[in-house]
Amino acid sequence: MEILVCTTPGSFSYEQADAPVATPGHSILKIKRIGICGTDLHAFEGTQPFFNYPRILGHELAGEIVETDAPGFVKGEAVTFVPYFNCGKCVACRNGKPNCCTTLKVSGVHIDGGMVEYLSVPSYSLVHGDGLSFDELALVEPLAIGAHGVRRADVRKDEFVLVVGAGPIGLGAMEFARIAGGKVIALDINDQRLAFCRDRIGVEHTINGLTEKVTERLAEITNGDMPTTVIDATGNLRAINTAFAYLAHGGKYVLVGLQKGEIAFSHPEFHKREATLMSSRNATRADFEHVIHSMKNGLVDPKTYITHRVAFGQVKDEFESWLDPANGVIKAMVELD
């Protein structure tokens, strides 16, 4: 089969490899769609934490079952899967948090991923497609990341939720904050993405961090209260540190975005707010199921996210262009026959 390997930062290579064979506890998928995410882009740039080269990227995947021993699944079924492979035994797994297993292996990050024609995955990771298209199934994982962050924040009806970063993960957080009943505010520095928030997913309040006075606008929107939930989806150190100042007294700050450095904030300012700081890592099966249910019921239209499409054989030539904000990429989707 053909595979695409990120050999070093900034470099891809198409290569040939043996197709995987079925083994007990594993299923073989014929990959049909590969969504390109920020993790893939950062890996290509060389800025992704927890990463080694060479690596086959790809964890936003949809495929067709070729072989399986998973109860309730059949050959030919369209599926996605939870691409965070956990041990099932550590303290996190024992407490229902397999998404932050102490020895977690994320497909396409810690181990080789889905930029291949055929992929072997643990059978326990399979998720029924439930009638969704391959495009939709490939978008379940990134939306689940946002849904998990919103669940961590325990967003309540009518509270103001500020989402910093209007990339695909931030957009997912906005969608599921809205579904939870929150009043969403989008903050970004790209007018094109802010327009997407307003026009495509119905975000009422948007702020450009470069051209507007953010604190004043937030006070205006929230009647002086400031947002009770702030979610970072930028992975940008300056943005993360700055957003501590946007938090309401008694509020929660959820870090979905990830970067390599150390965060810094004023202890007195944070303390007087009795604020809560938490991270949000990956997602759980419950989040995947919540996303699929929301898609099935028309609460989310994932296809609006797809702005670029390429065949598998074009990825090497097109990938670098997706790093340029001027190209307006929200979600690039790779198609395989």
Side-chain angles (χ1 to χ4, degrees), residues 114-164:
M115 288 194 179
V116 298
E117 293 182 270
Y118 295 91
L119 183 67
S120 174
V121 302
S123 293
Y124 69 75
S125 69
L126 292 180
V127 178
H128 287 291
D130 203 17
L132 297 180
S133 69
F134 288 123
D135 280 349
E136 291 169 324
L137 288 173
L139 288 163
V140 171
E141 192 272 346
L143 289 170
I145 298 286
H148 186 71
V150 168
R151 185 156 65 93
R152 289 277 286 151
D154 192 25
V155 170
R156 302 300 177 90
K157 181 175 172 56
D158 292 330
E159 75 164 295
F160 282 103
V161 179
L162 171 65
V163 179
V164 187

Side-chain angles (χ1 to χ4, degrees), residues 2-8 11-16 56 316:
E2 189 171 40
I3 65 175
L4 181 59
V5 183
C6 186
T7 52
T8 59
S11 180
F12 277 116
S13 173
Y14 284 103
E15 299 176 8
Q16 292 293 314
I56 300 173
K316 180 179 177 180

Side-chain angles (χ1 to χ4, degrees), residues 23 42 51 88-89 98 102 104 108 138 164 234 247 262 287 318 324 328:
T23 58
H42 295 156
F51 204 86
K89 300 176 182 178
T102 60
L104 194 72
V164 187
T234 67
L247 188 61
E262 297 181 355
D287 299 311
E318 297 289 333
D324 185 352

